[in-house]
Amino acid sequence: MRATKTAVAGGLLGLGLVLAASGALGHGDVQPQPVKTDGLKPLGTEWLAENPYKGDAHAISIGASGFNQNCARCHGLEMISGGLAPDLRYLPQGKEGDEYFVERMKHGAVINGVTKMPVFDGLISQEGLWAIRSYIESKHEE
Ligand code: HEC
């Protein structure tokens, strides 16, 4: 059972949550690169439900470098996936995509007990992650 790149359905999300709760989550081999978020409004530690920086040009440029340093090796440079991981240009826009994004940052991706994507929540600040989300949304395609 392999999720398709457009699988944003609750079923997939539920599976991820169950796996995370069962302790199957490893650490992965990630070496997170800090994302410098100078000039962005500070957000605190509590996760927001929606991207506070949506459409903000400064956030998008911070997010572009954050993405290229932390996500591109799987999701592709400039977000054009080479097929190892979903092409994020097709992630839904707006709140639906935001919520899905946050769940992924909190839980990563574990498939058959193997960590395919690490948890980024706690490794990169909320500001840095929403900046990356802003970049992703700026490249959205239908
Ligand atoms: C080690 C490889 C790897 C890295 C690094 C990685 N990802 Fe992923 N990511 C994956 C894989 C593989 C999946 C698909 C998992 C699945 O099929 O359920 C995925 C899924 C996702 C999804 C869900 C996409 C969808 O259509 O279902 C989002 C959102 C996402 N990643 C965002 C990110 C962001 C943002 C970063 C950087 C902060 C990142 N990923 C870093 C491998 C990675």
Side-chain angles (χ1 to χ4, degrees):
M1 193 193 69
R2 180 77 170 80
T4 67
K5 60 183 170 186
T6 49
V8 178
L12 174 61
L13 195 56
L15 178 66
L17 293 176
V18 168
L19 289 170
S22 71
L25 217 57
H27 289 291
D29 61 345
V30 70
Q31 287 178 307
Q33 301 299 313
V35 178
K36 279 193 73 185
T37 55
D38 300 357
L40 292 181
K41 181 168 71 97
L43 302 176
T45 52
E46 204 63 19
W47 269 102
L48 303 176
E50 275 182 81
N51 184 2
Y53 309 139
K54 181 183 160 98
D56 181 296
H58 183 55
I60 290 169
S61 89
I62 289 174
S65 81
F67 182 91
N68 283 331
Q69 288 183 318
N70 290 288
C71 320
R73 72 189 163 97
C74 297
H75 290 282
L77 275 175
E78 308 275 301
M79 292 211 331
I80 298 167
S81 170
L84 285 176
D87 194 317
L88 298 179
R89 292 176 296 173
Y90 301 98
L91 207 66
Q93 292 178 286
K95 194 168 185 210
E96 184 193 355
D98 288 352
E99 286 173 350
Y100 193 65
F101 177 83
V102 170
E103 289 307 315
R104 286 298 190 166
M105 296 303 101
K106 286 181 179 168
H107 303 290
V110 180
I111 298 167
N112 297 331
V114 178
T115 300
K116 300 283 186 184
M117 173 172 139
V119 174
F120 283 98
D121 182 18
L123 298 180
I124 299 176
S125 67
Q126 179 175 195
E127 289 83 355
L129 290 172
W130 281 127
I132 290 172
R133 166 64 180 148
S134 303
Y135 169 69
I136 291 174
E137 191 159 17
S138 77
K139 295 266 189 179
H140 177 82
E141 286 189 21
E142 292 297 339

